[in-house]
Amino acid sequence: MYRIALCDDEQTEVLKTKGMLSNYKKIHPERDFDIGIFENAEEMLSKMQSGYAPDLILMDIYMKGKTGIEAVRELREMGNKIRVIFLTTSEQHAVEAFRVEAVQYLVKPVSEEELIPLLDKQFEILNRERQKYVALQVDNRTFRVMVHDIVYCEAQGKRQYLHMIDGTQLCVHMSMAGLEELFMPYDEIVRIGKWYIINMDHVEGLDSQAVQMDNELKLYLPRGAYQSLRKQYITYYTGGLS
């Protein structure tokens, strides 16, 4: 599942772009995504501060309050590298847009002929970014496991159980410390306490008591773990925006 944020204060344009995105989903049902709609940049940034993490932003420039350029510049200053496509009524800000590392700049009215090939390209890039693998030994066989498919890992004695996105479990005969070291290159993988390693890509939210995973499971936090995990969660999803 991917998330696309649509930030525009013109209702007619929002409905038009949302319609094009819905048509795209019909053409490519394998590219599952939801659409978050925001009327202004402040609303979107506030949602991101709470952990909302879109994979792609479709952003207008001229809005009440912060402009789209200002909002994206703020994200970049915080280290957030999220992919942004500007949709706007003027060519005037194209140079500024690319200075804040926009992937594309489209002048309204935007047609499906313009947007669909661009979405194709962005999804191809996003898919490649998710293709990260680790080699794990399970029952005397070595498997290549996609990191994104791991929801969380749970320690049970000398065995570690990997809970996968499809509901299956893999039993790995190695220590939790060894598993943590294996996942060290991946920022999305975080250890909490003695018993769990979680994948941030599958965290829907957290509070001082527990982490809510996207497979509907709630993992209860050990004492003192919340503040550190909250900081890692915000850093991972927002690049440090606070």
Side-chain angles (χ1 to χ4, degrees):
M1 169 71 78
Y2 291 97
R3 292 174 175 172
I4 296 178
L6 173 55
C7 188
D8 196 323
D9 62 354
E10 296 182 21
Q11 187 64 20
T12 302
E13 291 294 331
V14 168
L15 293 174
K16 179 182 175 182
T17 306
K18 185 179 178 182
M20 289 190 287
L21 290 171
S22 297
N23 288 341
Y24 183 83
K25 186 181 286 190
K26 291 176 183 176
I27 297 169
H28 295 286
E30 76 281 2
R31 291 174 179 170
D32 191 18
F33 60 87
D34 61 25
I35 306 167
I37 297 176
F38 303 93
E39 292 185 355
N40 55 66
E42 286 90 348
E43 182 186 3
M44 186 190 73
L45 292 174
S46 176
K47 185 75 171 178
M48 292 178 71
Q49 288 173 359
S50 301
Y52 174 69
D55 299 285
L56 177 66
I57 298 175
L58 304 182
M59 171 80 85
D60 189 17
I61 289 180
Y62 299 106
M63 293 179 287
K64 294 178 181 177
K66 274 189 176 73
T67 67
I69 296 287
E70 290 170 339
V72 176
R73 185 180 293 118
E74 186 173 327
L75 289 173
R76 299 300 187 236
E77 288 172 353
M78 296 296 178
N80 193 306
K81 298 184 182 300
I82 190 167
R83 307 185 72 78
V84 178
I85 298 171
F86 283 111
L87 313 176
T88 190
T89 55
S90 170
E91 297 179 355
Q92 180 180 350
H93 299 284
V95 173
E96 288 180 275
F98 290 113
R99 282 177 179 164
V100 295
E101 301 176 46
V103 299
Q104 190 53 273
Y105 186 99
L106 299 179
V107 178
K108 297 175 182 177
V110 176
S111 67
E112 287 195 6
E113 288 73 18
E114 292 175 293
L115 189 60
I116 285 179
L118 185 53
L119 290 173
D120 282 337
K121 181 177 180 180
Q122 300 314 308
F123 275 112
E124 287 170 5
I125 293 170
L126 290 169
N127 284 333
R128 285 199 300 271
E129 289 176 348
R130 285 193 174 182
Q131 304 304 306
K132 305 172 186 175
Y133 295 89
V134 290
L136 295 169
Q137 189 168 349
V138 181
D139 297 330
N140 298 317
R141 294 178 60 192
T142 300
F143 288 87
R144 189 177 72 157
V145 177
M146 189 181 296
V147 173
H148 181 73
D149 287 350
I150 301 169
V151 179
Y152 72 100
C153 311
E154 179 182 14
Q156 293 187 14
K158 294 182 179 180
R159 298 179 179 180
Q160 318 304 321
Y161 286 86
L162 276 63
H163 298 258
M164 309 302 291
I165 197 170
D166 62 0
T168 62
Q169 296 180 29
L170 298 177
C171 178
V172 181
H173 295 270
M174 64 187 303
S175 68
M176 181 63 86
L179 202 57
E180 182 181 19
E181 185 176 354
L182 183 67
F183 289 129
M184 194 172 292
Y186 307 108
D187 292 339
E188 62 266 44
I189 306 298
V190 175
R191 182 169 179 176
I192 51 173
K194 294 181 178 180
W195 311 114
Y196 296 113
I197 291 175
I198 63 171
N199 189 335
M200 294 285 199
D201 284 340
H202 297 291
V203 173
E204 286 195 342
L206 69 156
D207 57 32
S208 61
Q209 302 296 319
V211 181
Q212 180 66 55
M213 308 304 291
D214 61 8
N215 64 353
E216 299 184 358
L217 185 74
K218 184 175 286 189
L219 303 178
Y220 289 93
L221 293 172
R223 185 185 300 273
Y226 172 68
Q227 290 298 334
S228 175
L229 180 59
R230 180 180 180 274
K231 183 178 180 180
Q232 289 173 291
Y233 181 74
I234 291 173
T235 299
Y236 178 66
Y237 275 125
T238 70
L241 183 66
S242 60

